[in-house]
């Protein structure tokens, strides 16, 4: 179980300096359009945990700012962790992305870590079984955070297999699908062998 304790946003989208402390495992964000709800979830939680995914760095860093960062404080199974992701504008068309990670010893102990290694570490911490090479986490997006009406698109998609696959992965029951398929194959083999023996 993950608990988000605190989010610090500096020069991220509409936020210049925001320090948000949370006190509950269940979060409900309410506000007018454009108030910054999506930024807190996408830039404040999704981005630190799982990286940019398909998000453009330019869309996260506040206009005309040379540097911005997100610091996320969270617990997993009663162990504390801190992640910080920095965006540094090196030129008009380029923004560097750096990551820092610590096992709850405080901001002064953050160690720089490769972006791909950090993603692997977080997926392992959260026990998310994502296919390698995917830019974004489907499990996080639909089980932890559902952007506005996207869950409806999953539930009512015409592609039944895609819907079932997403739901199975979101609730970590994809192993049962494999077990069912294997059991069905074994049962079919036994049935065929039994019929063959009967013919003899």
């Amino acid at each position: 179980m993950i608990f988000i304790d605190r989010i610090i946003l500096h020069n991220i989208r509409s936020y210049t300096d925001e320090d948000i402390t949370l006190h509950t495992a269940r979060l409900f964000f309410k506000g007018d359009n454009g108030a910054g709800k999506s930024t807190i979830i996408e830039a404040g939680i999704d981005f630190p945990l799982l990286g940019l995914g398909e998000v453009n760095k330019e869309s996260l860093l506040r206009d005309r700012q040379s540097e911005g960062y997100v610091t996320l404080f969270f617990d997993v199974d009663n162990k504390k962790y801190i992640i910080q992701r920095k965006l540094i504008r090196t030129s008009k068309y380029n923004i560097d992305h750096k990551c820092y990670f610590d096992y709850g010893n405080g901001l002064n102990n953050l160690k720089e870590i490769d972006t791909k290694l950090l993603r692997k570490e977080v997926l392992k911490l959260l026990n998310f079984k994502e296919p390698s090479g995917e830019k974004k986490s489907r499990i996080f997006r639909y089980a932890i955070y559902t952007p506005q009406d996207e869950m409806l698109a999953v539930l009512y998609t015409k592609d039944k297999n895609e819907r079932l696959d997403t739901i199975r992965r979101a609730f970590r029951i994809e192993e049962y699908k494999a077990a069912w398929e294997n059991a069905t194959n074994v049962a079919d083999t036994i049935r065929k062998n039994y019929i063959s023996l009967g013919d003899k």
Side-chain angles (χ1 to χ4, degrees):
M1 178 70 76
I2 180 171
F3 293 89
I4 305 299
D5 298 322
R6 183 182 174 197
I7 303 166
I8 299 174
L9 300 166
H10 173 68
N11 288 335
I12 299 296
R13 290 186 178 168
S14 60
Y15 294 98
T16 50
D17 283 292
E18 194 70 37
D19 192 333
I20 304 165
T21 302
L22 305 167
H23 303 285
T24 178
R26 291 184 177 87
L27 305 175
F28 177 76
F29 292 99
K30 180 182 177 183
D32 295 333
N33 288 340
K37 303 183 299 298
S38 294
T39 295
I40 293 172
I41 299 170
E42 292 174 357
I45 300 175
D46 194 356
F47 170 50
L49 288 175
L50 298 164
L52 289 162
E54 296 175 347
V55 177
N56 189 323
K57 290 180 282 190
E58 190 73 38
S59 72
L60 288 177
L61 186 60
R62 189 172 170 84
D63 287 345
R64 296 184 294 278
Q65 298 301 317
S66 59
E67 181 181 285
Y69 61 82
V70 178
T71 309
L72 180 70
F73 301 76
F74 64 102
D75 297 14
V76 178
D77 297 329
N78 297 317
K79 293 181 181 177
K80 294 186 177 297
Y81 302 92
I82 303 171
I83 291 175
Q84 185 176 83
R85 290 189 187 258
K86 282 187 178 180
L87 298 173
I88 303 164
R89 194 183 302 278
T90 56
S91 69
K92 184 177 180 180
Y93 302 106
N94 189 48
I95 297 174
D96 277 352
H97 172 204
K98 294 187 176 181
C99 303
Y100 303 85
F101 182 64
D102 181 70
Y103 290 90
N105 296 311
L107 285 171
N108 294 330
N109 295 289
L110 289 172
K111 303 283 191 305
E112 188 168 354
I113 184 173
D114 179 78
T115 56
K116 291 180 180 177
L117 288 178
L118 178 57
R119 179 181 169 82
K120 287 181 181 178
E121 184 72 22
V122 170
L123 289 174
K124 186 169 71 175
L125 278 175
L126 301 181
N127 195 25
F128 283 2
K129 297 177 182 178
E130 297 282 356
S132 60
E134 281 203 7
K135 288 186 175 182
K136 62 181 180 181
S137 167
R138 291 172 64 188
I139 293 175
F140 180 87
R141 205 152 180 82
Y142 294 110
I144 309 300
Y145 152 55
T146 306
Q148 304 202 11
D149 294 330
E150 285 191 23
M151 193 60 181
L152 293 177
V154 173
L155 293 175
Y156 296 107
T157 182
K158 292 180 181 178
D159 189 334
K160 179 182 176 183
N161 291 330
E162 181 183 349
R163 179 174 66 246
L164 288 174
D165 181 55
T166 299
I167 292 171
R168 283 190 186 108
R169 290 174 61 196
F171 292 100
R172 299 177 186 173
I173 57 174
E174 64 271 19
E175 293 91 349
Y176 296 106
K177 176 190 175 187
W180 175 264
E181 289 173 349
N182 291 336
T184 302
N185 290 335
V186 170
D188 287 343
T189 302
I190 292 171
R191 190 178 300 109
K192 288 174 184 176
N193 290 339
Y194 180 78
I195 291 171
S196 296
L197 289 172
D199 290 340
K200 295 177 181 179

mmCIF file of all heavy atoms in Angstrom, residues 182-199:
data_model
loop_
_atom_site.group_PDB
_atom_site.id
_atom_site.type_symbol
_atom_site.label_atom_id
_atom_site.label_comp_id
_atom_site.label_asym_id
_atom_site.label_seq_id
_atom_site.Cartn_x
_atom_site.Cartn_y
_atom_site.Cartn_z
ATOM 1 N N ASN A 182 -3.864 -22.444 -18.930
ATOM 2 C CA ASN A 182 -3.061 -23.663 -18.777
ATOM 3 C C ASN A 182 -3.922 -24.849 -18.336
ATOM 4 O O ASN A 182 -3.768 -25.973 -18.833
ATOM 5 C CB ASN A 182 -1.932 -23.438 -17.767
ATOM 6 C CG ASN A 182 -0.872 -22.488 -18.303
ATOM 7 O OD1 ASN A 182 -0.725 -22.335 -19.509
ATOM 8 N ND2 ASN A 182 -0.139 -21.854 -17.406
ATOM 9 N N ALA A 183 -4.827 -24.599 -17.375
ATOM 10 C CA ALA A 183 -5.706 -25.658 -16.890
ATOM 11 C C ALA A 183 -6.620 -26.155 -18.016
ATOM 12 O O ALA A 183 -6.872 -27.363 -18.147
ATOM 13 C CB ALA A 183 -6.538 -25.161 -15.712
ATOM 14 N N THR A 184 -7.098 -25.238 -18.836
ATOM 15 C CA THR A 184 -7.949 -25.615 -19.968
ATOM 16 C C THR A 184 -7.190 -26.487 -20.964
ATOM 17 O O THR A 184 -7.715 -27.491 -21.467
ATOM 18 C CB THR A 184 -8.482 -24.357 -20.679
ATOM 19 O OG1 THR A 184 -9.217 -23.561 -19.739
ATOM 20 C CG2 THR A 184 -9.394 -24.716 -21.841
ATOM 21 N N ASN A 185 -5.927 -26.125 -21.237
ATOM 22 C CA ASN A 185 -5.103 -26.909 -22.162
ATOM 23 C C ASN A 185 -4.851 -28.323 -21.622
ATOM 24 O O ASN A 185 -4.926 -29.311 -22.361
ATOM 25 C CB ASN A 185 -3.767 -26.207 -22.420
ATOM 26 C CG ASN A 185 -3.937 -24.947 -23.245
ATOM 27 O OD1 ASN A 185 -4.907 -24.813 -23.992
ATOM 28 N ND2 ASN A 185 -3.007 -24.027 -23.111
ATOM 29 N N VAL A 186 -4.563 -28.401 -20.315
ATOM 30 C CA VAL A 186 -4.326 -29.713 -19.693
ATOM 31 C C VAL A 186 -5.593 -30.561 -19.749
ATOM 32 O O VAL A 186 -5.558 -31.753 -20.075
ATOM 33 C CB VAL A 186 -3.839 -29.552 -18.235
ATOM 34 C CG1 VAL A 186 -3.834 -30.893 -17.513
ATOM 35 C CG2 VAL A 186 -2.451 -28.929 -18.205
ATOM 36 N N ALA A 187 -6.738 -29.941 -19.426
ATOM 37 C CA ALA A 187 -8.011 -30.668 -19.450
ATOM 38 C C ALA A 187 -8.329 -31.168 -20.856
ATOM 39 O O ALA A 187 -8.798 -32.308 -21.033
ATOM 40 C CB ALA A 187 -9.132 -29.762 -18.943
ATOM 41 N N ASP A 188 -8.055 -30.348 -21.870
ATOM 42 C CA ASP A 188 -8.293 -30.765 -23.263
ATOM 43 C C ASP A 188 -7.405 -31.951 -23.638
ATOM 44 O O ASP A 188 -7.860 -32.902 -24.298
ATOM 45 C CB ASP A 188 -8.022 -29.601 -24.224
ATOM 46 C CG ASP A 188 -9.108 -28.541 -24.159
ATOM 47 O OD1 ASP A 188 -10.200 -28.848 -23.641
ATOM 48 O OD2 ASP A 188 -8.857 -27.408 -24.619
ATOM 49 N N THR A 189 -6.138 -31.912 -23.201
ATOM 50 C CA THR A 189 -5.209 -33.004 -23.498
ATOM 51 C C THR A 189 -5.656 -34.301 -22.834
ATOM 52 O O THR A 189 -5.662 -35.377 -23.455
ATOM 53 C CB THR A 189 -3.790 -32.631 -23.021
ATOM 54 O OG1 THR A 189 -3.375 -31.428 -23.670
ATOM 55 C CG2 THR A 189 -2.801 -33.751 -23.340
ATOM 56 N N ILE A 190 -6.057 -34.211 -21.570
ATOM 57 C CA ILE A 190 -6.542 -35.393 -20.838
ATOM 58 C C ILE A 190 -7.789 -35.963 -21.507
ATOM 59 O O ILE A 190 -7.932 -37.174 -21.674
ATOM 60 C CB ILE A 190 -6.826 -35.032 -19.368
ATOM 61 C CG1 ILE A 190 -5.509 -34.721 -18.645
ATOM 62 C CG2 ILE A 190 -7.574 -36.165 -18.664
ATOM 63 C CD1 ILE A 190 -5.698 -34.154 -17.245
ATOM 64 N N ARG A 191 -8.688 -35.067 -21.920
ATOM 65 C CA ARG A 191 -9.935 -35.495 -22.561
ATOM 66 C C ARG A 191 -9.643 -36.245 -23.871
ATOM 67 O O ARG A 191 -10.206 -37.304 -24.150
ATOM 68 C CB ARG A 191 -10.832 -34.283 -22.818
ATOM 69 C CG ARG A 191 -12.248 -34.634 -23.252
ATOM 70 C CD ARG A 191 -13.123 -33.402 -23.454
ATOM 71 N NE ARG A 191 -13.249 -32.631 -22.239
ATOM 72 C CZ ARG A 191 -12.682 -31.438 -22.021
ATOM 73 N NH1 ARG A 191 -11.924 -30.895 -22.959
ATOM 74 N NH2 ARG A 191 -12.851 -30.793 -20.889
ATOM 75 N N LYS A 192 -8.710 -35.675 -24.672
ATOM 76 C CA LYS A 192 -8.372 -36.304 -25.952
ATOM 77 C C LYS A 192 -7.723 -37.668 -25.735
ATOM 78 O O LYS A 192 -8.019 -38.640 -26.454
ATOM 79 C CB LYS A 192 -7.446 -35.387 -26.745
ATOM 80 C CG LYS A 192 -8.144 -34.163 -27.306
ATOM 81 C CD LYS A 192 -7.156 -33.216 -27.964
ATOM 82 C CE LYS A 192 -7.861 -31.943 -28.439
ATOM 83 N NZ LYS A 192 -6.898 -30.958 -28.993
ATOM 84 N N ASN A 193 -6.812 -37.727 -24.733
ATOM 85 C CA ASN A 193 -6.155 -39.007 -24.436
ATOM 86 C C ASN A 193 -7.158 -40.043 -23.935
ATOM 87 O O ASN A 193 -7.064 -41.235 -24.266
ATOM 88 C CB ASN A 193 -5.041 -38.804 -23.402
ATOM 89 C CG ASN A 193 -3.855 -38.050 -23.976
ATOM 90 O OD1 ASN A 193 -3.675 -38.009 -25.191
ATOM 91 N ND2 ASN A 193 -3.061 -37.439 -23.119
ATOM 92 N N TYR A 194 -8.120 -39.604 -23.135
ATOM 93 C CA TYR A 194 -9.143 -40.500 -22.602
ATOM 94 C C TYR A 194 -10.004 -41.068 -23.722
ATOM 95 O O TYR A 194 -10.295 -42.262 -23.779
ATOM 96 C CB TYR A 194 -9.998 -39.763 -21.580
ATOM 97 C CG TYR A 194 -11.090 -40.600 -20.970
ATOM 98 C CD1 TYR A 194 -10.821 -41.518 -19.971
ATOM 99 C CD2 TYR A 194 -12.417 -40.457 -21.422
ATOM 100 C CE1 TYR A 194 -11.822 -42.294 -19.412
ATOM 101 C CE2 TYR A 194 -13.435 -41.228 -20.885
ATOM 102 C CZ TYR A 194 -13.129 -42.141 -19.882
ATOM 103 O OH TYR A 194 -14.135 -42.911 -19.332
ATOM 104 N N ILE A 195 -10.357 -40.197 -24.672
ATOM 105 C CA ILE A 195 -11.172 -40.645 -25.811
ATOM 106 C C ILE A 195 -10.374 -41.630 -26.674
ATOM 107 O O ILE A 195 -10.911 -42.647 -27.131
ATOM 108 C CB ILE A 195 -11.612 -39.417 -26.655
ATOM 109 C CG1 ILE A 195 -12.618 -38.571 -25.855
ATOM 110 C CG2 ILE A 195 -12.219 -39.844 -27.988
ATOM 111 C CD1 ILE A 195 -12.949 -37.236 -26.485
ATOM 112 N N SER A 196 -9.067 -41.328 -26.858
ATOM 113 C CA SER A 196 -8.207 -42.233 -27.647
ATOM 114 C C SER A 196 -8.105 -43.605 -27.012
ATOM 115 O O SER A 196 -8.176 -44.639 -27.685
ATOM 116 C CB SER A 196 -6.810 -41.636 -27.798
ATOM 117 O OG SER A 196 -6.863 -40.437 -28.523
ATOM 118 N N LEU A 197 -7.962 -43.621 -25.691
ATOM 119 C CA LEU A 197 -7.885 -44.911 -24.963
ATOM 120 C C LEU A 197 -9.205 -45.657 -25.069
ATOM 121 O O LEU A 197 -9.228 -46.891 -25.175
ATOM 122 C CB LEU A 197 -7.522 -44.662 -23.500
ATOM 123 C CG LEU A 197 -6.094 -44.199 -23.222
ATOM 124 C CD1 LEU A 197 -5.933 -43.806 -21.766
ATOM 125 C CD2 LEU A 197 -5.112 -45.317 -23.579
ATOM 126 N N GLY A 198 -10.311 -44.937 -25.043
ATOM 127 C CA GLY A 198 -11.630 -45.563 -25.139
ATOM 128 C C GLY A 198 -11.838 -46.220 -26.493
ATOM 129 O O GLY A 198 -12.482 -47.268 -26.605
ATOM 130 N N ASP A 199 -11.268 -45.579 -27.546
ATOM 131 C CA ASP A 199 -11.413 -46.144 -28.897
ATOM 132 C C ASP A 199 -10.654 -47.459 -29.020
ATOM 133 O O ASP A 199 -11.019 -48.334 -29.800
ATOM 134 C CB ASP A 199 -10.882 -45.162 -29.934
ATOM 135 C CG ASP A 199 -11.793 -43.933 -30.048
ATOM 136 O OD1 ASP A 199 -12.958 -44.048 -29.635
ATOM 137 O OD2 ASP A 199 -11.316 -42.895 -30.546
#
